[in-house]
């Protein structure tokens, strides 16, 4: 589990308006978000029931479109 140590910036009334994180915490959060996005995209692809394409073929199709 990811543990972060945030600091808060507050307005004149004490309402939290911003967060300050150590850069290592920020980078860890960004890595987690990227992984979650990958999982979400994978799950969506599996649900679509579209036929899969071998990676080699996919690269060939991409390269053909570039030319």
């Amino acid at each position: 589990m990811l543990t972060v140590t945030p600091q808060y910036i507050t307005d004149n009334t004490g309402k939290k308006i911003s967060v300050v994180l150590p850069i290592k915490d920020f980078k860890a959060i960004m890595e987690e978000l990227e992984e979650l996005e990958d999982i979400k995209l994978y799950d969506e692809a599996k649900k679509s029931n579209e036929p899969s394409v071998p990676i080699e073929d996919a690269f060939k199709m991409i390269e053909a479109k570039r030319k």
Side-chain angles (χ1 to χ4, degrees):
M1 180 80 188
L2 182 63
T3 303
V4 295
T5 54
Q7 294 177 330
Y8 299 99
I9 298 173
T10 59
D11 64 12
N12 294 339
T13 65
K15 179 181 174 186
K16 295 175 183 175
I17 58 172
S18 296
V19 176
V20 178
L21 293 171
I23 194 71
K24 71 177 182 78
D25 290 353
F26 174 75
K27 287 181 179 180
I29 288 169
M30 295 306 294
E31 287 178 13
E32 290 287 327
L33 286 173
E34 289 173 7
E35 186 173 339
L36 288 172
E37 181 66 18
D38 291 343
I39 293 168
K40 179 182 171 186
L41 291 171
Y42 173 81
D43 289 343
E44 288 174 7
K46 291 296 277 186
K47 284 181 189 176
S48 72
N49 292 326
E50 293 182 18
S52 60
V53 176
I55 193 72
E56 297 83 15
D57 294 344
F59 286 143
K60 288 176 185 174
M61 292 166 51
I62 292 167
E63 286 301 318
K65 288 182 180 180
R66 287 185 181 178
K67 295 179 182 180

